[in-house]
Amino acid sequence: EVDVKRIAARDTLSYFGVLLDDNNRKPICRLHFNRAQKYLGTFDANKNETRHAIESVDDIFNFAEPMRQAVKFYETP
């Protein structure tokens, strides 16, 4: 959807964020790995986060479409 050079990562105390253009107002997803149950957070057009329980890192691929939609939302004028 966009050049990989535009994707940035930021680690915070409570989650690992994947951002577009290194801008915290353009989140693509969040990884919540600080607990026994791991979650992937995806965002809708209103930037509301939905947490999805995942068992392994490979499960992230199951949520490619919501992440693509987030990027498309930021790219729409």
Side-chain angles (χ1 to χ4, degrees), residues 17-33:
V18 179
L19 308 171
L20 181 62
D21 298 328
D22 201 17
N23 184 336
N24 64 353
R25 293 188 173 152
K26 295 181 179 181
I28 297 171
C29 70
R30 289 181 179 165
L31 305 171
H32 302 271
F33 288 174

Side-chain angles (χ1 to χ4, degrees), residues 4 9 12 14 16 25-26 30-33 38 40-42 46 53 55-56 60 66-67 69 72:
V4 70
T12 68
S14 57
F16 180 86
R25 293 188 173 152
K26 295 181 179 181
R30 289 181 179 165
L31 305 171
H32 302 271
F33 288 174
K38 294 171 178 40
L40 171 71
T42 59
N46 295 318
E55 296 300 317
S56 74
I60 293 170
M67 290 186 275
Q69 291 301 319
K72 286 180 184 177

